[in-house]
Amino acid sequence: MPSAAARLLLASAAVLALWLGAAWLIEMLWIKGQTLPYALFARQDMPALLLGITGLGVVAAVLWRERGVSVGPTNWVLQGRIVGALIALFALAAWVGRYALFGDYALSRDEQVAEFGSTTLRDGLIGRPIPAEWIDYRRAIMPEFFSPFGADHVWASAYLPVNSGFRALCAWMGDANLAGPLLLVIGLVALWKVALQLFPGRNDAVAVTMILTLTSAQLLVTGMTPYAMTGHFSLNMLWLALVLRDDRRGHIGAALVALLLGGMHQWHFPLLFLAPFLLWFALQRRWGVLAFHTLVLVVIVGVWAKLWPAFLLHHLGQPADVMPAAGVADKLGSLMARLEKWRPLLHVARFMAWNHVLLVPLAIVGMAMIRWREALRGQTVMLPLALGGLAVTVLAIDQGYGWGYRYLHGYIGSFALLAGYGWTRLRQVSLRPVYAATLVTLMMASFLALRAHDYVRPYQQSHAMIMASKADVVLVDPRGGRFVTDVVRGRDGDPLGRPIVMNIGMLKRASLDRLCDRYSIAVFDRRNFLPLGVGVVNWGSPHIAALRAHMAERDCGRPIS
């Protein structure tokens, strides 16, 4: 008869194996997807999950006959110095990793726009005026993720300002890349406080909660990036800690945190986390608290979906180039469009791979073991935590880039608390299976970190090659490569400088002729980025092909060497 530890490890391996098998059969063999998430799943997540499943089997065999082993030391979770040191080391790893793993390079357009917004706010601006000579080239220089307000004369971020604002504050302190690590510290300390409050007398459950969080590759690697998702994790946990104080200061503080959450980058993101707590307050029959936090959600929508666009309209001008999409109807329309790429098997598999191997299995136990009579009387906070996490898991809309599944990023703390609760419902007397599974997780995390580095490096090298060009203008021809248009960017978040980088596909023949007449031109194309290791995607563009032929006729432009 296997020990309880071995049964836990084998059951967790079975959960991962069943999900991975379903994802492989349906998404890869049947649907045969060719988009970016499929490529990342095949090269990163599937090997990591196979490693994790194998590792869980090995440690289960080692612990097969474990009997009568004590829980082990757990008093460390009560000692602020020890927990603080672990959190500080985690945050330090995120800051070091920004440079060691990614070479201080923002891979995706989302990240690049966050950096652009940060430098703009740091300079005391909400939008960067476009010099007259570059007005006609504004979309070639900033092809995506720009605000529509005043877009014919101003560059401004399409995202709300809180994430970029915090990065600007950190830049003022010395390094914008401190933003992610500092947010990690805030969120992890808040999570620790919540775990201590929810699991009194169960130091082992607190230890499980913190171990599962502090070994999350998704939390660590995303903390190295400018993504707003680290802010969502951090402020979600801070909001929860303040609400659980259950006093006037706590609820007012939570309201202020919720307002910041709404402005982190898109106002609708925190609603799925916050809304289930309204049900919780209603089940508790706490009508005053319910009314207050309902009003907070109304204020979030009012401020960020209505007042902020009105502010941009007043200060930047009428929308241009594209229609604004900030209202409630626009967000619902965008959600419905993205649900056409509904791939829960794929995206949740990515989440499993980038987090502790016991996180999802123990969270499932926690959800299944909720005492529903207590829950329906509002006596357990596990109910709203589970509802929020399940809602986003079921939606599982396409994310594009992401280390793990970033739309569940704000719920990593929720899953960890549910896992801690699940641990309390198991008849486990030893933390040895958790420690053993943590070794497996660390091996997976190391593999995934190396794969992330290998994926980003060709783009970072492409950007460095472009920036080293002596030309006035570099035209990027993205044909044949995966997301090569994302290297169309300036230096340090500034779209201008030397060289000025443009997407050739956004130019017209007449505007191209003016560039050729006035400036020295270099071309960055597949001859440059494919040898660096950028993924091959066989796509073409007759428009770009015609422009390149015209350049050849004019003897305009030279290859970047």
Side-chain angles (χ1 to χ4, degrees):
M1 183 70 178
S3 65
R7 290 198 300 272
L8 171 62
L9 295 169
L10 289 175
S12 299
V15 170
L16 300 182
L18 287 171
W19 199 279
L20 174 60
W24 173 254
L25 288 173
I26 294 176
E27 298 291 350
M28 303 299 289
L29 296 186
W30 181 36
I31 297 177
K32 296 181 180 179
Q34 300 295 320
T35 58
L36 175 66
Y38 290 92
L40 294 178
F41 172 75
R43 297 172 187 174
Q44 298 177 359
D45 314 314
M46 190 174 68
L49 285 171
L50 289 173
L51 174 62
I53 293 164
T54 303
L56 286 174
V58 171
V59 295
V62 172
L63 299 178
W64 190 265
R65 297 186 180 277
E66 181 191 54
R67 294 289 188 274
V69 180
S70 64
V71 172
T74 58
N75 287 337
W76 61 269
V77 300
L78 302 177
Q79 301 179 38
R81 290 184 178 179
I82 295 178
V83 175
L86 292 174
I87 291 173
L89 285 173
F90 191 79
L92 179 62
W95 182 72
V96 171
R98 174 62 183 171
Y99 299 94
L101 206 65
F102 293 144
D104 195 18
Y105 179 75
L107 172 67
S108 68
R109 184 65 65 183
D110 302 73
E111 299 167 79
Q112 191 271 327
V113 169
E115 290 190 328
F116 165 75
S118 172
T119 59
T120 302
L121 292 172
R122 184 191 62 196
D123 294 339
L125 303 169
I126 58 172
R128 195 170 292 279
I130 305 173
E133 64 182 302
W134 300 116
I135 289 288
D136 291 341
Y137 301 93
R138 61 188 182 276
R139 294 288 70 85
I141 297 172
M142 184 176 283
E144 302 172 290
F145 291 78
F146 57 87
S147 171
F149 296 101
D152 55 357
H153 64 279
V154 172
W155 282 310
S157 171
Y159 288 144
L160 296 173
V162 172
N163 181 47
S164 291
F166 189 66
R167 289 187 61 82
L169 177 63
C170 291
W172 177 78
M173 293 189 298
D175 186 358
N177 292 321
L178 289 171
L182 289 177
L183 287 169
L184 285 174
V185 170
I186 293 170
L188 289 167
V189 169
L191 174 64
W192 174 55
K193 292 290 187 181
V194 169
L196 288 173
Q197 183 174 346
L198 295 182
F199 307 126
R202 291 299 305 265
N203 294 348
D204 55 336
V206 179
V208 167
T209 301
M210 296 308 297
I211 290 171
L212 267 55
T213 311
L214 287 168
T215 52
S216 167
Q218 175 170 332
L219 201 61
L220 177 64
V221 176
T222 304
M224 301 174 188
T225 72
Y227 275 126
M229 295 305 162
T230 303
H232 284 289
F233 162 77
S234 174
L235 296 188
N236 280 356
M237 290 299 98
L238 181 58
W239 182 92
L240 180 61
L242 289 168
V243 163
L244 292 180
R245 279 179 51 131
D246 201 22
D247 57 16
R248 179 176 294 181
R249 289 185 178 181
H251 287 292
I252 292 174
L256 296 175
V257 170
L259 189 61
L260 290 174
L261 264 170
M264 183 59 63
H265 84 301
Q266 295 194 61
W267 58 263
H268 61 286
F269 261 76
L271 299 187
L272 285 175
F273 177 80
L274 300 174
F277 286 89
L278 301 183
L279 172 63
W280 187 50
F281 298 140
L283 292 173
Q284 293 176 320
R285 299 180 183 275
R286 302 184 63 191
W287 309 119
V289 174
L290 172 63
F292 175 74
H293 286 283
T294 301
L295 178 61
V296 170
L297 295 192
V298 173
V299 170
I300 288 174
V301 176
V303 169
W304 297 116
K306 299 299 181 182
L307 294 181
W308 179 254
F311 173 78
L312 295 179
L313 177 65
H314 176 73
H315 286 277
L316 300 182
Q318 292 291 330
D321 294 346
V322 295
M323 292 298 295
V328 177
D330 296 313
K331 293 302 180 187
L332 289 175
S334 174
L335 173 62
M336 296 307 295
R338 298 184 79 172
L339 282 174
E340 294 179 2
K341 300 178 181 179
W342 185 61
R343 296 288 183 267
L345 288 173
L346 184 70
H347 297 312
V348 176
R350 302 211 66 211
F351 182 75
M352 289 177 169
W354 283 78
N355 285 283
H356 196 290
V357 287
L358 297 185
L359 179 68
V360 172
L362 281 177
I364 292 172
V365 173
M367 294 179 192
M369 300 296 284
I370 289 175
R371 296 182 176 94
W372 290 102
R373 288 185 179 181
E374 295 180 4
L376 294 177
R377 291 195 294 267
Q379 294 177 353
T380 174
V381 75
M382 295 302 155
L383 177 63
L385 291 176
L387 290 176
L390 281 173
V392 180
T393 301
V394 170
L395 283 174
I397 61 176
D398 184 60
Q399 66 170 352
Y401 276 125
W403 310 116
Y405 185 53
R406 59 187 168 96
Y407 291 160
L408 271 175
H409 202 81
Y411 300 84
I412 291 176
S414 300
F415 275 89
L417 290 167
L418 287 163
Y421 177 73
W423 177 264
T424 66
R425 305 302 306 276
L426 296 176
R427 296 180 179 177
Q428 285 289 338
V429 296
S430 170
L431 283 175
R432 287 186 69 185
V434 177
Y435 294 138
T438 297
L439 293 177
V440 176
T441 298
L442 292 175
M443 288 190 295
M444 294 170 63
S446 299
F447 167 80
L448 289 168
L450 289 175
R451 283 297 172 95
H453 168 270
D454 292 344
Y455 186 88
V456 172
R457 184 167 175 77
Y459 294 90
Q460 188 265 334
Q461 290 178 324
S462 296
H463 175 67
M465 181 181 291
I466 291 170
M467 290 295 102
S469 170
K470 303 299 183 182
D472 297 322
V473 175
V474 173
L475 300 179
V476 174
D477 180 347
R479 292 176 299 164
R482 176 176 283 116
F483 287 115
V484 175
T485 190
D486 286 347
V487 303
V488 178
R489 62 180 74 187
R491 199 187 307 272
D492 299 326
D494 188 344
L496 297 178
R498 193 173 188 272
I500 291 178
V501 189
M502 301 184 191
N503 182 343
I504 190 173
M506 306 297 287
L507 296 176
K508 297 179 181 179
R509 181 165 172 165
S511 57
L512 177 61
D513 282 334
R514 289 196 298 273
L515 288 177
C516 292
D517 291 339
R518 300 175 185 176
Y519 304 101
S520 60
I521 308 294
V523 178
F524 181 82
D525 60 15
R526 70 183 73 190
R527 293 171 296 180
N528 305 113
F529 58 74
L530 291 182
L532 294 177
V534 171
V536 178
V537 178
N538 292 320
W539 69 278
S541 167
H543 174 65
I544 295 178
L547 291 179
R548 291 296 303 272
H550 179 63
M551 291 179 68
E553 291 175 0
R554 288 201 48 169
D555 193 26
C556 172
R558 58 173 178 79
I560 289 183
S561 57

